[in-house]
Amino acid sequence: MKIGSLEVGKIGLGAWQAGGGAWRVDFAELKRAYEYALDHGIKFIDTAEVYGSGKSEEFVAELIRNRPHVVVATKVAGSNWGRILKSAERSRRRIGRVDLLQFHWPPPIYVPLCKVIRDLEKAAQLGLTAEIGVSNFDARLMEKALTCTKKYEIVSDQVVYNPLHRAAERLIEMGRARGFVVIAWSPLAKGAVLKENLGNDPARRFDSVVNRAKTAEGRRVAETIRKIAETRGVSPAAVVLAWHAAKGSFPIPGVKTLKQAQEVLEANALQLSEAEVRAIDKASAPFITGTVWPSAMRYIPGFLLKLSFTLARI
Ligand SMILES: NC(=O)c1ccc[n+]([C@@H]2O[C@H](COP(=O)([O-])OP(=O)(O)OC[C@H]3O[C@@H](n4cnc5c(N)ncnc54)[C@H](OP(=O)(O)O)[C@@H]3O)[C@@H](O)[C@H]2O)c1
């Protein structure tokens, strides 16, 4: 898969887990897991300035120091719409290199969207990033954002997408036609689509998608995935990530352990049959609803949204 000019492979990795606030992690094991993945076929890693207030970016900096083949993506906080260049400079200083600079969540309604996009373009012009992207933009907002560019293309939109939340499918189609890639966050539904016993990490507490796994429909999705995994002799995580590839999204799972990293990597060699993709699609059909980002959030002043994310320990 290519995101703009960047060759990124079939799956990437997300490094929110390394922020340390939202996820309970053993840092030595986490490092082992990410190093293993980047040395065994993963070419893309995603982070953000808000993850652990820069801790995740510092973790990524260490990981990529001797791995020039890895594409690095980070995100400017949506509440930093007035300080995009400053944020981009700070992230570049922390990480050492940024290949894809994304705007993390839609700005409040009173902020001119084209100013945000032009500031991302300025960051690219100044050499702070190779490519620009957005995150959590729904199809309507993306349509508008695409009209704002002057010199660069928006090459990606990073949104929630997994078998328990399929609202992004309209965006995937739009991306195919308009030349941007949908990067799928929470591609494993934070583990909820893989297993029953989940840790009570803060990241899961306010996530309604995690609760969908407990419904009859949700259990049917997990059961379908488990059966395919058993038949193929691979992990359920690999089946879900291979489903993403079949649907045309680029998944960036987070992992905590070496074993999870190894299971995620199995997806690189796995291609689901049309019948297997259809079976997961059918079981997860009740979840082709909702939106990738509630538009009401854009009416919340930026500082309040940032405060709520801070309290949720993002
Ligand atoms: N743009 C945005 O607004 C946004 C929002 C959220 C995330 N993201 C990005 O997307 C990345 C991934 O999303 P996410 O971390 O929310 O969710 P995810 O990738 O769907 O789930 C990650 C969690 O699933 C469990 N897991 C991973 N591999 C597993 C395996 N093989 N078997 C069983 N369980 C496994 C682990 O938790 P346990 O070990 O605790 O079970 C892990 O922490 C993040 O790291 C971040 O970079 C972006």
Side-chain angles (χ1 to χ4, degrees):
M1 163 98 62
K2 269 189 117 175
I3 299 181
S5 60
L6 309 166
E7 184 58 63
V8 295
K10 186 171 164 184
I11 50 176
L13 276 185
W16 182 18
Q17 280 63 12
W23 293 93
R24 301 217 161 85
V25 291
D26 165 348
F27 272 96
E29 179 66 12
L30 191 76
K31 191 160 176 275
R32 257 194 303 277
Y34 281 77
E35 283 180 344
Y36 181 89
L38 296 180
D39 291 338
H40 290 82
I42 300 288
K43 297 184 198 153
F44 178 99
I45 190 155
D46 173 75
T47 178
E49 62 171 341
V50 292
Y51 297 162
S53 304
K55 208 168 161 192
S56 169
E57 289 190 332
E58 284 161 11
F59 175 81
V60 169
E62 221 181 289
L63 283 175
I64 63 151
R65 195 159 296 138
N66 297 313
R67 294 181 177 88
H69 67 284
V70 178
V71 171
V72 184
T74 193
K75 303 189 279 296
V76 175
S79 48
N80 279 344
W81 49 267
R83 300 178 288 274
I84 290 179
L85 290 180
K86 275 209 170 93
S87 282
E89 275 164 15
R90 194 170 44 215
S91 290
R92 218 270 296 261
R93 215 175 311 123
R94 256 190 219 129
I95 306 173
R97 161 167 67 88
V98 174
D99 300 304
L100 172 63
L101 184 72
Q102 307 151 100
F103 193 65
H104 203 150
W105 61 84
I109 196 83
Y110 53 82
V111 174
L113 182 63
C114 284
K115 178 170 171 12
V116 168
I117 303 301
R118 301 251 171 77
D119 283 351
L120 289 174
E121 289 192 302
K122 268 186 215 153
Q125 241 172 327
L126 290 170
L128 296 170
T129 181
E131 299 282 6
I132 58 169
V134 293
S135 176
N136 296 308
F137 278 31
D138 64 16
R140 251 180 66 201
L141 199 59
M142 193 61 176
E143 192 68 63
K144 214 167 151 195
L146 290 172
T147 66
C148 296
T149 53
K150 287 235 154 92
K151 293 197 169 151
Y152 292 82
E153 299 298 325
I154 297 173
V155 296
S156 58
D157 187 6
Q158 184 180 136
V159 298
V160 57
Y161 182 57
N162 59 59
L164 296 178
H165 192 142
R166 291 176 53 193
E169 291 189 357
R170 194 169 145 217
L171 261 175
I172 296 176
E173 251 175 60
M174 184 179 163
R176 242 182 235 124
R178 309 284 293 273
F180 65 87
V181 170
V182 167
I183 300 178
W185 65 254
S186 285
L188 306 171
K190 297 196 171 89
V193 81
L194 310 175
K195 56 197 178 189
E196 280 185 11
N197 295 326
L198 297 171
N200 70 339
D201 305 52
R204 292 192 175 102
R205 267 182 221 152
F206 305 104
D207 191 335
S208 58
V209 177
V210 168
N211 291 326
R212 288 182 193 169
K214 296 176 193 147
T215 63
E217 289 92 346
R219 280 200 294 272
R220 211 166 297 132
V221 176
E223 183 59 12
T224 307
I225 290 164
R226 191 188 60 73
K227 275 191 188 147
I228 296 173
E230 255 175 39
T231 312
R232 291 296 205 104
V234 295
S235 65
V239 171
V240 176
L241 297 170
W243 173 82
H244 277 275
K247 302 298 284 180
S249 62
F250 180 69
I252 49 165
V255 293
K256 286 183 173 176
T257 64
L258 182 58
K259 182 167 181 281
Q260 289 178 349
Q262 288 166 336
E263 291 186 353
V264 156
L265 276 161
E266 289 171 354
N268 267 338
L270 179 68
Q271 189 168 357
L272 296 183
S273 68
E274 277 180 27
E276 288 167 331
V277 175
R278 257 201 318 275
I280 299 175
D281 279 353
K282 189 172 168 210
S284 63
F287 304 111
I288 317 177
T289 57
T291 171
V292 296
W293 187 260
S295 46
M297 301 264 276
R298 296 198 63 211
Y299 291 87
I300 303 173
F303 74 94
L304 267 185
L305 203 56
K306 191 174 180 194
L307 181 67
S308 66
F309 285 163
T310 307
L311 292 176
R313 300 178 71 197
I314 281 179

